[in-house]
């Protein structure tokens, strides 16, 4: 009897342990990554079986309601088939959350966390959300308040954060169409160059502006116009309201563009104001795929204001000074969490540290997707591999498309950036240098309303467009990034940023086919420790072929790119970690650049071994500007470079070499070789690229302002 009792007890114990194990398997544990805090409270609803969201049986009781904290555990699949009205606080997905493609759906929620191993899927690649249906994910403040910093001190919540996999597929449509027909104000009809696919009555479209002029106080200079399609037949589009501006090209071979902002998969903030109520999207793996998705009013990092998540103190010797370039040293510390009101990393669409090892995994994909309305950056790759193809960034403050650290890989192809508003100042030159509000060690850049901003060179960038930007249409500023969260302490006790680097082991794969790869001799960071960390600036642009930039402050810009100059690292930077010696660089090619109606057309400096081919810089001489409009200007170092087939047409100054501080820089003109056609047309003043230009008022034109150089 005793033996039977003990056997029975052992069996019951095993049964209870098994039951306990099963129960544990049906919960959502603390997220596997420290990137995100655990659930903000006890889960109110946990999926106990596979099923539809609105089925009580799925949850073993009631359907999640207002303020619910929801768990979908590993091994469970929940499918959304309805337009829910409850205002959810938190959903953690360790299993799978699917959104049906054949019905209208909606979720209101503060935070959706997809944990490692979890999946959030909207439709499928072969069966996307169907035509005339919509799927919405609406980010809310569940209690009407700011994020609870007691639970989430770094404000990572309020949005979609994924350490698992996110896949979303909307109904495919043509993202933009070029147009070689001028349109006058008052028009309600467009003739596109080709018939777009799947454009419909009711779609919101935006016609790029053709004009740039600085305005005071600064607002958007862009004359793009957003309208609604009222009728469409092939390439003929009717719309309302009527246009307010003329959209006129200075030459018949130039193009305007019309982009479609409407998608039927929508991730949006319920309210764009205050900024704290906005959601953001942060994806941390390379398995993500967003196709034909609209991201509306997302992003909380405010690029109209300086970041304040890091405290920078500048020194002249041991004496504190302002961070305006007069000092010789600095120290950085992370700001107290309670003091941070504008934190980096909360962007509209942000790929965060998903890896940059070439060939290790396929890139994440973003295709046909729209970012519409953000106070910061639109599409962002941070130390990740991402292919951005056929995407639209519209109405952004900081920049439309950004690579953040400098080691990113991937593609930007046929993307368009329209209406970059910036922080309230026009800056064609000193972008971060000597800026007391945004000092270099703060790593606060791309805040002027730039279309494309690249911190690193190892990208395939082809056939892109930027229009109506208060900053640069496209800029390659390939220095890498000061990593404010990875400092080191120098011998004087001051804390300095480490710069991001490019892995030496990746160079032979990424730059395979470059003819001078075998002679490349780079420099290293931390060379006493490892020879793996290359200085990013020593690497050439991998591919830049095909760019149209118009109605911007600056059309196309290179700065601190593929050059031996280290002055960027010297200003307030402790650069003894750069190995000594002169690098032997590869040549880089910039092809098929067409920029027009920009205040500055082409603006390269601190760059070398650059072969430009088929560059057209076009303007019209009817502006009232405070300064001369310049086709191509080189302010400082521009070494061993060529132009093959260069056209400059209609600028007040065709080509300008500014030899200010010439004793500190090379003779720029002697470093330039022209081949093929070199055509200057319709200029008011001509410079031979040999001197600083003083512009007189062009005959028959009125130019207001002093005309002094910046």
């Amino acid at each position: 009897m005793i033996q039977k009792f003990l056997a029975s007890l052992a069996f019951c114990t095993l049964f209870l342990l098994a039951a306990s194990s099963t129960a544990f398997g049906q919960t959502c544990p603390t997220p596997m990554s420290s990137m995100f805090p655990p659930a903000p409270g006890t889960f109110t609803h946990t999926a106990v079986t596979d099923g539809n969201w609105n089925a009580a049986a799925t949850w073993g009781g009631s359907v999640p309601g207002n303020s619910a904290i929801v768990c979908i555990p590993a091994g469970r699949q929940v499918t959304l088939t309805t337009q829910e009205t409850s205002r959810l606080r938190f959903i953690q997905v360790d299993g799978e959350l699917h959104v049906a493609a054949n019905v209208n759906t909606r979720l209101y929620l503060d935070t959706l966390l997809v944990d490692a191993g979890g999946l959030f899927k909207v439709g499928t690649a072969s069966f996307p959300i169907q035509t005339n249906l919509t799927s919405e994910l609406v980010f809310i403040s569940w209690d009407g308040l700011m994020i609870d910093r007691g639970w989430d001190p770094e404000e990572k919540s309020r949005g979609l954060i994924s350490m698992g996999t996110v896949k979303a597929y909307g109904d495919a449509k043509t993202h933009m169409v070029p147009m070689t027909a001028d349109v006058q104000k008052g028009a309600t009809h467009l003739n596109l160059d080709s018939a777009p696919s799947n454009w419909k009555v009711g779609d919101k479209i935006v016609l790029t502006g053709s004009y740039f002029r600085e305005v005071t106080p600064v607002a958007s200079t862009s004359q793009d116009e957003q309208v609604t399609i009222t009728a469409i037949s092939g390439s003929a589009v009717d719309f309302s309201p009527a246009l307010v501006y003329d959209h006129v090209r200075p030459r018949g071979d130039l193009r305007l563009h019309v982009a479609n902002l409407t998608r039927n998969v929508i991730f949006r903030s319920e309210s764009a104001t205050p900024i704290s109520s906005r959601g953001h999207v942060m994806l941390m793996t390379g398995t993500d795929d967003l196709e034909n998705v609209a991201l509306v009013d997302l992003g909380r990092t405010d690029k109209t204001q300086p970041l304040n998540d890091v405290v920078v103190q500048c020194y002249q010797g041991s004496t504190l000074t302002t961070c305006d370039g007069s000092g010789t040293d600095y120290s950085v510390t992370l700001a107290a969490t309670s003091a941070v009101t504008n934190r980096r990393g909360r962007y509209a669409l942000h790929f965060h540290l998903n890896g940059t090892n070439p060939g290790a995994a396929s890139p994440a994909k973003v295709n046909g997707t729209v970012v519409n309305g953000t106070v910061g950056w639109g599409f962002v790759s941070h130390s990740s591999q991402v292919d951005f193809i056929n995407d639209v960034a519209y109405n952004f403050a900081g920049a439309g498309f950004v690579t953040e650290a400098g080691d990113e890989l991937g593609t930007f192809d046929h993307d368009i950036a329209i209406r970059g508003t910036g922080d309230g100042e026009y800056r064609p030159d000193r972008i971060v240098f000597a800026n007391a509000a945004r000092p270099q060690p703060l790593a606060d850049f791309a805040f002027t309303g730039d279309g494309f901003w690249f911190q690193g060179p190892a990208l395939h960038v082809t056939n892109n467009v930027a229009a109506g930007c208060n900053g640069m249409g496209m800029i390659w500023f390939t220095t890498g990034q000061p990593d404010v969260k990875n400092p080191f302490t120098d011998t004087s006790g001051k804390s300095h940023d480490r710069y991001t680097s490019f892995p030496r082991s990746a160079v032979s794969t990424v730059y395979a086919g470059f003819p001078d790869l075998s002679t490349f001799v780079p420099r290293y960071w931390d060379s006493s420790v490892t020879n793996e960390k290359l200085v990013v600036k020593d690497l050439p642009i991998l591919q830049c072929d095909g760019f149209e930039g118009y109605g911007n402050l600056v059309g196309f810009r290179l700065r601190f790119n593929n050059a031996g100059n280290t002055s960027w690292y010297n200003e307030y930077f402790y650069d003894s970690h750069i190995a000594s010696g002169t690098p032997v660089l590869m040549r880089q090619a910039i092809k098929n650049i067409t920029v027009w109606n920009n205040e500055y057309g082409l603006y390269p400096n601190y760059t070398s071994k650059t072969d430009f081919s088929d560059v057209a810089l076009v303007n019209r001489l009817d502006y009232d500007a405070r300064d001369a409009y310049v086709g191509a200007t080189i302010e400082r170092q521009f070494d061993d470079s060529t132009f093959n087939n260069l056209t400059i047409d209609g600028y007040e100054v065709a080509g300008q070499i500014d030899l200010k501080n010439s004793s500190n820089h090379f003779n720029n003109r002697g470093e330039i070789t022209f081949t093929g056609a070199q055509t200057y047309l319709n200029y008011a003043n001509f410079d031979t690229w040999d001197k600083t230009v003083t512009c007189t008022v062009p005959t028959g034109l009125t130019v207001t302002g002093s005309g002094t150089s910046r």
Side-chain angles (χ1 to χ4, degrees):
M1 289 292 294
I2 293 176
Q3 288 178 333
K4 287 184 178 181
F5 173 77
L6 291 175
S8 175
L9 180 62
F11 175 80
C12 290
T13 301
L14 289 172
F15 176 81
L16 289 172
L17 287 172
S20 175
S21 175
T22 301
F24 179 77
Q26 293 178 340
T27 66
C28 288
T30 298
M32 296 179 66
S33 170
S34 60
M35 282 295 302
F36 200 83
T42 303
F43 289 109
T44 62
H45 295 76
T46 298
V48 297
T49 186
D50 297 348
N52 289 341
W53 181 281
N54 66 332
T58 302
W59 310 102
S62 62
V63 175
N66 291 334
S67 306
I69 301 175
V70 179
C71 161
I72 301 176
R76 292 283 176 253
Q77 178 182 312
V78 176
T79 303
L80 180 69
T81 60
T82 52
Q83 291 180 309
E84 294 293 303
T85 59
S86 296
R87 301 173 66 80
L88 309 173
R89 182 177 182 182
F90 181 85
I91 302 174
Q92 181 171 328
V93 179
D94 283 76
E96 298 184 12
L97 175 58
H98 293 200
V99 178
N102 59 349
V103 290
N104 290 312
T105 60
R106 181 186 298 123
L107 275 182
Y108 290 97
L109 75 165
D110 190 300
T111 303
L112 172 58
L113 171 65
V114 183
D115 202 1
L119 171 66
F120 173 57
K121 185 167 66 173
V122 182
T124 67
S126 59
F127 196 70
I129 302 301
Q130 296 297 282
T131 300
N132 299 322
L133 298 175
T134 60
S135 174
E136 287 188 286
L137 195 64
V138 185
F139 300 112
I140 65 171
S141 170
W142 71 278
D143 57 358
L145 301 176
M146 297 179 66
I147 294 170
D148 177 6
R149 288 196 180 187
W151 162 61
D152 179 16
E154 294 190 0
E155 303 168 290
K156 293 173 180 174
S157 57
R158 194 155 295 164
L160 167 57
I161 299 90
S162 175
M163 295 162 283
T165 298
V166 173
K167 295 181 180 292
Y169 303 95
D171 194 20
K173 61 176 62 188
T174 303
H175 75 300
M176 72 169 172
V177 182
M179 190 174 72
T180 50
D182 294 335
V183 191
Q184 305 292 332
K185 61 183 177 182
T188 58
H189 180 82
L190 298 175
N191 290 313
L192 307 176
D193 284 6
S194 60
S197 173
N198 201 25
W199 286 22
K200 297 181 174 67
V201 171
D203 280 5
K204 303 293 184 183
I205 59 175
V206 57
L207 170 62
T208 52
S210 61
Y211 190 78
F212 177 86
R213 178 190 291 164
E214 296 183 22
V215 293
T216 305
V218 174
S220 173
T221 59
S222 182
Q223 292 187 355
D224 66 86
E225 300 193 60
Q226 184 182 155
V227 296
T228 301
I229 296 176
T230 57
I232 183 168
S233 177
S235 60
V237 178
D238 292 335
F239 60 85
S240 67
L243 297 179
V244 175
Y245 301 109
D246 291 332
H247 298 255
V248 179
R249 302 155 302 136
R251 290 192 350 182
D253 58 338
L254 304 175
R255 309 193 299 181
L256 298 163
H257 294 81
V258 182
N260 193 305
L261 303 178
T262 299
R263 301 293 185 272
N264 68 343
V265 173
I266 306 158
F267 299 168
R268 65 178 174 89
S269 298
E270 182 179 46
S271 176
T273 56
I275 290 174
S276 62
S277 67
R278 288 171 170 254
H280 72 112
V281 176
M282 178 185 287
L283 308 178
M284 287 172 267
T285 70
T287 56
D288 302 303
D289 189 1
L290 301 183
E291 301 194 24
N292 302 294
V293 177
L295 305 162
V296 182
D297 293 332
L298 298 182
R300 291 196 304 274
T301 300
D302 183 2
K303 281 293 178 176
T304 69
Q305 303 297 321
L307 300 176
N308 65 354
D309 52 356
V310 173
V311 176
V312 179
Q313 292 181 305
C314 296
Y315 293 86
Q316 181 67 54
S318 59
T319 303
L320 280 171
T321 186
T322 57
C323 296
D324 59 1
S326 61
T328 59
D329 204 351
Y330 77 94
S331 187
V332 294
T333 55
L334 296 179
T337 298
S338 59
V340 179
T341 58
N342 192 24
R343 186 184 303 280
R344 74 194 68 221
R346 309 297 177 256
Y347 310 125
L349 178 59
H350 178 198
F351 288 86
H352 182 68
L353 303 178
N354 74 23
T356 57
N357 184 11
S362 298
K365 298 177 183 177
V366 183
N367 185 13
T369 290
V370 175
V371 168
N372 183 357
T374 182
V375 296
W377 293 345
F379 297 88
V380 183
S381 176
H382 179 194
S383 294
S384 297
Q385 296 188 69
V386 189
D387 288 342
F388 296 98
I389 301 172
N390 301 329
D391 298 315
V392 181
Y394 178 64
N395 193 21
F396 47 88
F401 296 85
V402 178
T403 60
E404 187 171 1
D407 57 352
E408 293 80 12
L409 303 176
T411 298
F412 293 81
D413 180 57
H414 283 93
D415 300 317
I416 185 168
I418 309 170
R419 186 179 281 258
T421 54
D423 68 334
E425 294 186 40
Y426 296 100
R427 292 185 183 85
D429 185 18
R430 303 283 277 188
I431 300 166
V432 180
F433 262 4
N435 185 333
R438 302 177 190 251
Q440 189 182 339
L442 182 57
D444 186 1
F445 52 88
F447 50 79
T448 59
D450 308 293
F452 296 80
W453 183 294
F454 302 126
Q455 282 292 122
L459 305 166
H460 293 281
V461 178
T462 51
N463 305 306
N464 298 293
V465 180
C469 294
N470 286 357
M472 321 293 146
M474 178 178 288
I475 179 169
W476 295 79
F477 202 119
T478 59
T479 61
Q481 180 198 33
D483 186 350
V484 297
K485 294 189 176 181
N486 184 27
F488 66 94
T489 302
D490 69 9
T491 55
S492 69
K494 295 184 178 67
S495 181
H496 292 263
D497 303 328
R498 291 186 187 274
Y499 254 91
T500 50
S501 59
F502 194 86
R504 182 174 181 270
S505 58
V507 172
S508 59
T509 300
V510 172
Y511 288 92
F514 269 57
D516 43 4
L517 176 60
S518 62
T519 62
F520 176 56
V521 180
R523 290 168 297 187
Y524 305 95
W525 287 106
D526 298 321
S527 60
S528 61
V529 179
T530 175
N531 282 337
E532 176 64 11
K533 299 179 179 180
L534 301 189
V535 175
V536 173
K537 190 168 65 65
D538 288 350
L539 290 159
I541 290 171
L542 181 61
Q543 184 180 20
C544 181
D545 188 351
F547 173 67
E548 297 170 75
Y550 52 96
N552 310 296
L553 177 66
V554 179
F556 184 88
R557 185 83 190 272
L558 300 177
R559 184 169 171 85
F560 288 104
N561 155 250
N562 202 47
N565 187 298
T566 60
S567 61
W568 174 257
Y569 303 107
N570 292 339
E571 185 162 357
Y572 287 148
F573 269 83
Y574 183 79
D575 68 347
S576 65
H577 282 21
I578 300 179
S580 60
T582 302
V584 179
L585 306 178
M586 293 183 271
R587 300 198 69 83
Q588 63 183 15
I590 308 293
K591 301 178 181 179
N592 300 305
I593 305 298
T594 301
V595 296
W596 54 276
N597 281 10
N598 306 283
E599 187 168 322
Y600 292 82
L602 178 69
Y603 198 169
N605 55 2
Y606 295 110
T607 190
S608 71
K609 295 183 180 293
T610 303
D611 298 321
F612 290 93
S613 60
D614 299 305
V615 174
L617 316 172
V618 183
N619 205 7
R620 62 187 199 191
L621 285 169
D622 60 354
Y623 290 102
D624 53 344
R626 61 171 175 162
D627 289 331
Y629 282 63
V630 181
T633 187
I634 300 168
E635 186 188 36
R636 287 174 173 81
Q637 182 179 334
F638 185 59
D639 304 334
D640 188 14
S641 295
T642 67
F643 285 96
N644 181 50
N645 297 333
L646 170 67
T647 298
I648 304 179
D649 183 357
Y651 276 88
E652 293 172 68
V653 179
Q656 168 178 300
I657 295 289
D658 188 343
L659 295 184
K660 290 180 295 186
N661 302 315
S662 59
S663 62
N664 298 323
H665 302 282
F666 293 103
N667 183 340
N668 293 294
R669 177 61 184 89
E671 296 283 341
I672 303 172
T673 301
F674 294 97
T675 61
Q678 183 182 357
T679 306
Y680 299 153
L681 303 170
N682 303 312
Y683 52 84
N685 290 267
F686 175 68
D687 180 50
T688 60
W689 300 68
D690 286 332
K691 63 184 185 303
T692 300
V693 175
T694 300
C695 291
T696 59
V697 176
T699 303
L701 298 177
T702 300
V703 179
T704 62
S706 65
T708 58
S709 175
R710 289 170 193 257

